[in-house]
Amino acid sequence: MAKMRTVDAAVAILEKEGATEAFGLPGAAINPFYSAMRAHGGIRHTLARHVEGASHMADGYSRAADGNIGICIGTSGPAGTDMITGLYAAQADSIPMLCITGQAPVAKLHKEDFQAVDIESIAKPLTKFAMTILEPGQVPGAFQKAFQLMRSGRPGPVLLDLPIDVQMAEIEFDIDAYEPLPVEKPKASRKQLEKALDLLTAAKHPLIVAGGGIINAGASAQLVELAEILNVPVIPTLMGWGTIPDDHQLMAGMVGLQTSHRYGNETFLQSDFVIGIGNRWANRHTGGLDTYTAGRKFVHIDIEPTQIGRVFSPDLGIASDAGAALDGLLELARERQAAKTLPDYSGWVAECQERKGSLHRKTNFNNVPIKPQRVYQEMNKAFGRDTTYVSTIGLSQIAGAQMLHVFGARKWINAGQAGPLGWTAPAALGVVRGTPDATVVALSGDYDFQFMIEELAVGAQFNLPYIHVVVNNSYLGLIRQSQRGFNMEQNVSLAFENINSPETNGYGVDHIKVAEGLGCKAIRVEDPNDLPAAFDKAKALMGEFKVPVVVEVILEKITNISMGVEINGVNEFEELAETAADAPTAILTKA
C-alpha cells in the first residue's frame, strides 16, 4: 500500500472512474486538490470566469455524450453556493455531475470561520448525495459512493465537500485495489412488458411518448426499432427530442403548451393509448390533466419508482431503466411480428403523416426588424443534420423548439425543468469539450446571453468554438408576454439609448463590442435576407479562429409566440402556413 494525500487518492479515483474533464476556479481552500490534479496530469481543467458558469459547463459536458460525467471544482463558501443553480439544473433533468468544494478545517466548521458554510445541508435537497468528509480515511469511499449514486437509478448530481486539513492528510491507498461499485438500475420483467404491450395492441390509435430517460440510457436506436416494428407514432418530450429524427415517418411531433408542434398536439388529441418511456409528464407537456388524460389509457415506464403516479395514476406503472424496458419490448414485439399477431396501424400512421404535412406555423416573413420565425427558418437551411443545439429558456427556446429540426439523440441540449437564465453559453462550452468534432449552435435571447456573457472569454482562451445565435428584441420577451394577462408591461424592456454605441439604435447593450472584447468574433444582422451570409461567415470565422462566434439578430421589439394553457387551446398569434412557401423548411410541408 502506498501512503499519499487524500487528494492524490481522489484524483486517481476520478481517472479510474472515467471522469477526467473538470471545470472550475481555484482558491485557498481547494488548492491542495488542484496541486493533486497538477501532479497527476490526467484531469483536464477548464478555468471558468464564474463558479456558476463552471457548474453549467460541467452539466453541458455531462449531457454531450453517453457516459460523460463533468466535474465542477471550487473553493469554500461562495464557490459552493454559486454551484447551487448548476446542481438544481442537473438534478431537475437527471444529469450526473460531480461538484467538489474546498472547506475550512474541520475544527473551524462551527466557529463561523472565513468562507465556511454548511454546503452539505444547502446542497442536499438538490443532489443525490452531499457530504462534508470529516475523516481522511473516508475520502476513497465517499468518491466511490458518489460515482455509484450518480449512475444508479435516476441519474443526478452529487457534491463532496473537502475540509482543507482532510485534503492534506495522508492515508494508505492503492488505486490498483480500487474498483467502481456496481451500478444499480431496475429492469422490467417479461410479464410486466407483456401486459404493457397487450394494452398498446388493444388500442386503435396508440402513441409512444419518448422521454429524456431514453437518451440517458443510450437507447434511442431501440426506441426507433420498436416504433418501426409496431408501426406506432412517437411523440418525443422536450428532453427526449432527438430520440427519433424529426424527418422519420413515425415522428409525430412534440406535444405541449409551448415547445410543441401543431400537428403533435392534434395527433395526441386523436390518440386512445399512450405508453410513456423515461418521461415525467412535465406540466409544459401535459397542460391541464383533464384534457391530457381524457379518453385514453396510459402505461408509464420510469427508472424512478416514486415518479410513477406523481402527476397522475397510469393504468399500468413499471419501474425500469428505459433501455432495459425497450430491449424487453423489442424482444416481445419481434416475437409477435414473427407470429403475425401485431395490429396494422398503417391507417393511423397515415393520419398522423397528413397532419404533419399540413399543420405548420408560418416562418417565411420578410419584415424588418426581423420576425423571429424567419431566424429559425434560416437556421434550418444553414445548419445540417449533425448540428447540436444548446438552449435554456425564453421565447427564443420556445420558438426554436417549435421550428428548428433535430435529427439525433443529444443533439438538443436543453435545461428543461430548471431553465436558468445564463445557462446556455457555459453549457455550450461544456458541450464543445464533450463533443469537440460536433457543430454546436447555441440559441439565446438577449437576457439569457447577458446573464453569463463573461464565459465567452473561456471559449476564446481555451479555443472552444461554437456559434451563438442571439435573437435580440431588447426585451424580457417571455415575461412581457406573460404579463399580457395583467394588462401590464412592467420592468421588462432592456432597451436604452446607448450613447457609446449609437449603432445599436436603442437596443441597449452592444453585444458585438462585448463579445469582441472577450476575445470572440461577432456579427450583427438587421435584414432577414442577410441571415444566410451571416451564418456562412460565422462558420468560416469559427473554423479560422477557433473561438465562439456570436450572430446577433435584431428582432422586432414585440412578438407573441404560440402558447396556451391547454393542449387543445394553444393561441396562435401569427399567420399560419397555408402553402409550402409559407414554411419552406418545415418537415413534410403540404403544397
Side-chain angles (χ1 to χ4, degrees):
M1 296 283 282
K3 197 153 192 170
M4 64 181 72
R5 296 179 303 168
T6 64
V7 287
D8 295 308
V11 169
I13 289 169
L14 293 181
E15 185 177 47
K16 193 155 188 179
E17 292 278 3
T20 58
E21 202 72 54
F23 307 84
L25 277 79
I30 196 65
N31 275 339
F33 193 90
Y34 272 86
S35 73
M37 287 197 295
R38 179 181 175 85
H40 183 80
I43 311 298
R44 181 166 59 176
H45 180 269
T46 301
L47 180 69
R49 293 301 190 272
H50 190 296
V51 184
E52 182 186 338
S55 70
H56 297 327
M57 290 176 203
D59 183 2
Y61 175 81
S62 293
R63 296 177 194 244
D66 291 349
N68 279 7
I69 293 181
I71 308 165
C72 176
I73 307 173
T75 190
S76 59
T81 56
D82 283 345
M83 293 178 191
I84 293 300
T85 300
L87 288 167
Y88 169 37
Q91 184 265 352
D93 290 340
S94 307
I95 305 300
M97 178 175 76
L98 173 61
C99 286
I100 301 171
T101 52
Q103 182 58 278
V106 172
K108 300 279 187 156
L109 292 182
H110 68 295
K111 296 180 183 292
E112 297 187 354
D113 207 47
F114 176 68
Q115 291 191 339
V117 68
D118 185 1
I119 194 63
E120 175 185 323
S121 295
I122 295 170
K124 269 185 176 177
L126 299 170
T127 58
K128 294 191 73 176
F129 177 55
M131 179 182 182
T132 297
I133 306 173
L134 302 178
E135 295 293 338
Q138 287 186 298
V139 168
F143 274 83
Q144 192 178 34
K145 180 178 180 180
F147 278 102
Q148 181 190 41
L149 289 174
M150 278 188 282
R151 294 171 171 144
S152 293
R154 180 181 178 181
V158 302
L159 182 140
L160 295 177
D161 187 40
L162 302 173
I164 190 168
D165 52 338
V166 171
Q167 295 178 59
M168 297 291 288
E170 291 192 337
I171 59 172
E172 296 285 348
F173 182 73
D174 183 354
I175 189 62
D176 292 333
Y178 176 93
E179 293 294 339
L181 293 174
V183 174
E184 300 171 357
K185 294 182 180 180
K187 180 180 178 180
S189 70
R190 181 180 175 92
K191 185 174 184 179
Q192 288 175 313
L193 296 177
E194 283 177 339
K195 288 181 179 292
L197 199 54
D198 287 345
L199 285 167
L200 185 153
T201 55
K204 293 183 178 179
H205 298 147
L207 290 173
I208 300 170
V209 168
I214 295 173
I215 292 176
N216 284 346
S220 297
Q222 293 97 304
L223 167 77
V224 174
E225 185 180 354
L226 178 66
E228 289 174 345
I229 291 174
L230 298 175
N231 200 28
V232 169
V234 176
I235 297 283
T237 67
L238 185 65
M239 296 305 298
W241 196 13
T243 49
I244 185 168
D246 273 8
D247 57 354
H248 193 287
Q249 66 174 358
L250 293 174
M251 198 292 202
M254 283 193 288
V255 169
L257 307 180
Q258 297 176 340
T259 53
S260 62
H261 301 110
R262 291 179 63 217
Y263 51 89
N265 280 357
E266 286 299 318
T267 285
F268 186 88
L269 291 168
Q270 297 302 315
S271 69
D272 61 359
F273 171 85
V274 177
I275 180 169
I277 304 174
N279 67 307
R280 60 180 182 83
W281 312 116
N283 65 303
R284 288 203 299 168
H285 166 77
T286 65
L289 294 177
D290 288 344
T291 301
Y292 189 83
T293 60
R296 52 192 65 87
K297 291 181 180 292
F298 287 88
V299 171
H300 189 197
I301 300 174
D302 195 83
I303 198 168
E304 172 51 50
T306 63
Q307 197 70 31
I308 296 167
R310 182 186 294 258
V311 178
F312 62 85
S313 295
D315 295 271
L316 175 63
I318 301 172
S320 178
D321 170 70
L326 285 166
D327 287 341
L329 286 168
L330 266 173
E331 182 180 348
L332 292 173
R334 292 188 192 111
E335 291 174 5
R336 298 189 187 190
Q337 182 185 45
K340 301 188 182 330
T341 59
L342 291 176
D344 179 5
Y345 289 119
S346 56
W348 168 232
V349 170
E351 289 178 36
C352 298
Q353 285 286 89
E354 172 66 20
R355 284 185 284 269
K356 187 175 179 180
S358 58
L359 297 178
H360 291 285
R361 299 177 174 106
K362 182 175 178 178
T363 59
N364 200 24
F365 295 95
N366 292 312
N367 305 52
V368 177
I370 300 168
K371 293 188 79 65
Q373 293 85 350
R374 177 66 181 274
V375 181
Y376 308 114
Q377 174 180 303
E378 298 303 331
M379 288 173 70
N380 284 332
K381 292 179 181 178
F383 302 114
R385 297 178 65 87
D386 63 339
T387 302
T388 299
Y389 289 109
V390 183
S391 191
T392 181
I393 192 63
L395 292 184
S396 53
Q397 176 235 31
I398 293 167
Q402 291 176 4
M403 296 163 199
L404 291 174
H405 303 315
V406 173
F407 298 103
R410 301 193 186 275
K411 295 191 180 302
W412 172 257
I413 308 290
N414 180 80
Q417 184 181 350
L421 284 168
W423 184 88
T424 306
L429 295 170
V431 172
V432 174
R433 272 291 193 225
T435 52
D437 297 326
T439 300
V440 177
V441 178
L443 173 62
S444 289
D446 41 316
Y447 215 57
D448 173 49
F449 185 59
Q450 289 174 26
F451 246 58
M452 304 209 77
I453 197 170
E454 74 279 356
E455 302 304 333
L456 288 177
V458 177
Q461 179 179 354
F462 291 93
N463 295 121
L464 301 173
Y466 76 97
I467 294 173
H468 204 134
V469 179
V470 179
V471 284
N472 180 10
N473 60 358
S474 205
Y475 254 107
L476 286 166
L478 180 56
I479 297 171
R480 181 209 57 77
Q481 185 168 337
S482 70
Q483 287 187 353
R484 292 172 70 251
F486 297 95
N487 296 315
M488 63 184 285
E489 196 171 320
Q490 182 67 36
N491 299 330
V492 292
S493 175
L494 306 177
F496 66 93
E497 292 295 332
N498 188 341
I499 61 172
N500 295 308
S501 295
E503 58 269 34
T504 64
N505 295 315
Y507 272 67
V509 173
D510 191 332
H511 298 119
I512 304 303
K513 288 181 180 176
V514 176
E516 290 176 346
L518 291 167
C520 301
K521 297 294 181 180
I523 304 163
R524 179 177 290 124
V525 184
E526 298 178 298
D527 187 310
N529 296 313
D530 294 336
L531 283 166
F535 290 137
D536 286 344
K537 183 178 180 181
K539 286 184 272 189
L541 289 170
M542 185 175 63
E544 180 179 358
F545 294 98
K546 308 298 182 188
V547 299
V549 179
V550 176
V551 179
E552 180 190 49
V553 184
I554 303 300
L555 299 185
E556 60 185 8
K557 287 288 183 80
I558 295 176
T559 303
N560 292 313
I561 299 298
S562 305
M563 64 181 74
V565 296
E566 296 281 354
I567 59 173
N568 63 351
V570 172
N571 296 311
E572 301 292 346
F573 298 96
E574 300 286 355
E575 301 171 56
L576 299 176
E578 296 183 359
T579 68
D582 289 334
T585 63
I587 299 290
L588 290 176
T589 351
K590 187 177 180 181

